Amino acid sequence: MKTSRGVAVFGISASVLATAWAVGQGLESSASGAMLGAIGSTADPSSTPSSSLATTSAAPSASPSAKTTTKPTTHKPTTTKPKPTTKPKPTTKPKPTTKPKPAGPTGTYNGAVANTPYGQFQVALVVKAGKITKVSLLKVGEWRGTSKQINQYALPILVKEVLKAQSWKVNGVSGASYSSDAVKSSVHSAMKKAGLA
């Protein structure tokens, strides 16, 4: 019985010493709690005094880590320039189709009879597509003596000139003025009928 009390007293003394040491170390609150727990509890003789003390060591507060400020990355907006629109090429207007000219007249046209002191003269024109292709002599005046000789010489020349010029406006043959004027007058009349003059 004495031994139990001695152990209890020794335990209380050890607790007091521990409390005093804790107060010196700034741990008064923790040690006081441990001491009250030790006094209120029945100590087991077989247990060591150190087991009755619940010492808590305050962990050092972790220093707050330095805040790292990261600059926000600025993204430049990518602006794509619109491609210039190509203007449509103006449509070329189709050229108006030229209407083919109507073909000229075709046929045989008789000229008027031309009277002269040396007889009557008349021609007929053969026209194909508006072109004089042949001059026929229907009346050739007097066909005797000097008149015959003049007409035999002058009339072929007049026919050749009319075909070449495609007109009645040709030069007369020298020395056969009556015959020349009469033939040209009849050719003019035939061309009017054909629509060529």
Side-chain angles (χ1 to χ4, degrees):
M1 190 70 184
K2 291 180 182 181
T3 305
S4 300
R5 288 180 180 177
V7 172
V9 171
F10 177 77
I12 295 170
S13 300
S15 299
V16 171
L17 292 173
T19 303
W21 181 82
V23 169
Q25 294 298 321
L27 302 174
E28 182 179 1
S29 60
S30 299
S32 298
M35 183 182 67
L36 292 175
I39 294 171
S41 64
T42 58
D44 188 3
S46 62
S47 62
T48 58
S50 61
S51 62
S52 62
L53 294 177
T55 59
T56 58
S57 62
S61 60
S63 60
S65 60
K67 294 181 180 180
T68 56
T69 59
T70 57
K71 293 182 180 180
T73 56
T74 57
H75 296 284
K76 294 182 179 180
T78 56
T79 56
T80 56
K81 294 181 179 180
K83 294 181 180 180
T85 56
T86 56
K87 293 181 179 179
K89 294 181 180 180
T91 55
T92 56
K93 293 181 180 179
K95 293 181 180 180
T97 55
T98 55
K99 293 181 180 180
K101 293 181 180 180
T106 298
T108 300
Y109 303 91
N110 295 336
V113 176
N115 295 317
T116 69
Y118 301 98
Q120 295 179 335
F121 293 85
Q122 185 183 16
V123 298
L125 301 180
V126 178
V127 179
K128 186 176 181 180
K131 184 178 181 181
I132 302 171
T133 59
K134 184 178 180 181
V135 179
S136 300
L137 296 170
L138 301 179
K139 294 183 181 293
V140 293
E142 292 182 359
W143 204 253
R144 62 175 184 272
T146 306
S147 296
K148 182 181 178 179
Q149 292 177 358
I150 294 173
N151 290 332
Q152 283 180 339
Y153 166 72
L155 294 179
I157 295 174
L158 290 170
V159 169
K160 185 177 179 180
E161 291 296 321
V162 169
L163 289 173
K164 182 179 178 181
Q166 292 289 305
S167 174
W168 61 275
K169 296 178 180 180
V170 294
N171 295 326
V173 179
S174 178
S177 57
Y178 289 106
S179 300
S180 297
D181 292 342
V183 170
K184 290 192 294 181
S185 178
S186 185
V187 170
H188 187 202
S189 175
M191 289 182 68
K192 281 184 177 181
K193 290 181 180 180
L196 300 177

